[in-house]
Amino acid sequence: MINPILASSARRRMRSIRTPILITLYGAMIFAAGLGMAFGAFASSTLSIFAMREGVTAYAAMLVIQFAMILLITPAMTAGSIAGERERQTLDMLLVTNTGSLRIVAGKLLESLGYVALLLVAALPTMCLTLITGGVTLADVLTGALFLLVTAFAALSVGVFASAVFRRTVTATVMAYLLVFLIGVVTLLPMVLGVSYIGSHYDMYASTMASSVAVIGGTDAAASGLSVNAFIYSPAMGLMALIADQTGLLKSTLMNYSYTMYRIYDYLDFSAIKWENMAFMAGAGLLLDLLAACFVRPREARLRRRSAKK
């Protein structure tokens, strides 16, 4: 049986004229960005190595743009989902209908996730333009879309959690963005500390890394001083692992920002890291959803006690 909260919210959103307009604008924005970055590669009748690199660079840029857009818009989409029901005094009525708190949270979350999925589908044709130039496969494009969808799920879960904890929509929205910012900063700390440690002890571990057959994240992770967990926990580093695995563009770029990262680039198993990062974000999102349901449940229990007294 379909979740009634999901059905009601989705019906209300899809009947709004803003939905097709926003989806069209999102797809047009990604198309303009991709075409502007690689017009020569897409329009050329012949392909060169330079044109192929232009197409791959445009693909990576479109991933980064969509990643930033997701982090910008998704927390607000669910930050008012539960808090808004409280402000309108409709949450009590939902709980009286025996709609469990978990179903309420799931319905609100899935409705917003479905909307984000439509936005990503609108951008897929532009992402697939990179198939013309080569360097990126259809499997890579679909994996990139999946990564963005998982990122959206995690960010939406943060919004739902904030909405369940705080009673006012404005407060929940501010706290949702603050939590997303704090998560981004905190999950980057292991990477910063790890790179700093390797930089100060590089001579000691250079021979170990050079002679090791395994990659970082395997048996020599402790010896290298850099834990691959820094990549797994951080959404931004997960995006970096995805782009590095699919395009290999980041190695030369890292030279301008971190010589240490440039030197250890070849020892990182980005193929495994991107999937581990997605699994971690999905698990963290589910945990936040369960916690959000727990914050809704006490109100449900009180209503049942009041009904029993009557």
Side-chain angles (χ1 to χ4, degrees):
M1 181 179 179
I2 190 170
N3 188 308
I5 305 299
L6 170 61
S8 175
S9 300
R11 190 180 300 113
R12 184 168 55 251
R13 183 184 290 274
M14 295 309 297
R15 285 176 177 175
S16 172
I17 189 62
R18 292 186 304 173
T19 298
I21 292 176
L22 291 175
I23 291 175
T24 303
L25 289 176
Y26 182 87
M29 182 194 67
I30 300 301
F31 176 76
L35 198 62
M37 294 174 187
F39 176 78
F42 295 150
S44 176
S45 57
T46 59
L47 289 176
S48 63
I49 297 298
F50 178 74
M52 182 182 295
R53 182 176 178 84
E54 269 191 332
V56 173
T57 302
Y59 167 77
M62 285 186 282
L63 280 178
V64 173
I65 291 172
Q66 292 189 85
F67 180 81
M69 289 292 293
I70 284 172
L71 294 183
L72 182 64
I73 65 176
T74 51
M77 292 176 64
T78 51
S81 56
I82 307 298
E85 297 287 352
R86 287 199 181 105
E87 288 180 334
R88 294 188 296 269
Q89 298 182 355
T90 54
L91 182 60
D92 292 346
M93 291 187 289
L94 289 177
L95 295 174
V96 167
T97 61
N98 290 327
T99 302
S101 56
L102 187 58
R103 295 189 72 187
I104 294 174
V105 169
K108 297 290 187 180
L109 176 72
L110 292 177
E111 184 270 329
S112 296
L113 185 63
Y115 180 68
V116 175
L118 288 177
L119 295 177
L120 296 178
V121 168
L124 271 181
T126 304
M127 301 283 285
C128 289
L129 281 176
T130 54
L131 302 179
I132 299 174
T133 62
V136 178
T137 66
L138 179 59
D140 291 334
V141 173
L142 295 178
T143 302
L146 177 62
F147 175 85
L148 294 174
L149 188 63
V150 173
T151 303
F153 172 76
L156 290 169
S157 298
V158 172
V160 169
F161 175 75
S163 185
V165 173
F166 300 97
R167 303 181 63 84
R168 298 295 180 182
T169 299
V170 174
T171 306
T173 302
V174 172
M175 292 305 300
Y177 280 107
L178 182 60
L179 286 172
V180 169
F181 175 76
L182 290 177
I183 289 170
V185 171
V186 171
T187 54
L188 278 177
L189 287 178
M191 175 60 62
V192 174
L193 295 176
V195 171
S196 176
Y197 183 84
I198 291 179
S200 60
H201 298 79
Y202 186 80
D203 292 337
M204 183 186 304
Y205 296 120
S207 58
T208 303
M209 290 192 294
S211 61
S212 176
V213 178
V215 294
I216 292 179
T219 56
D220 66 327
S224 67
L226 173 65
S227 174
V228 76
N229 292 336
F231 281 89
I232 296 174
Y233 299 150
S234 172
M237 300 310 296
L239 177 65
M240 173 184 167
L242 176 71
I243 295 175
D245 179 58
Q246 293 184 346
T247 67
L249 292 176
L250 292 178
K251 186 173 183 179
S252 58
T253 305
L254 286 174
M255 184 66 177
N256 299 323
Y257 298 97
S258 174
Y259 182 70
T260 303
M261 285 293 297
Y262 172 79
R263 294 297 298 268
I264 66 174
Y265 182 93
D266 293 328
Y267 300 95
L268 294 167
D269 185 7
F270 291 115
S271 179
I273 289 172
K274 66 182 181 185
W275 294 109
E276 293 168 350
N277 181 269
M278 283 189 274
F280 174 78
M281 285 196 294
L286 287 173
L287 178 60
L288 286 174
D289 296 332
L290 292 175
L291 290 175
C294 291
F295 279 97
V296 177
R297 189 175 302 149
R299 293 180 60 84
E300 180 182 5
R302 287 196 298 270
L303 286 172
R304 289 179 177 175
R305 285 197 297 269
R306 290 175 186 174
S307 300
K309 291 179 180 179
K310 293 180 181 180

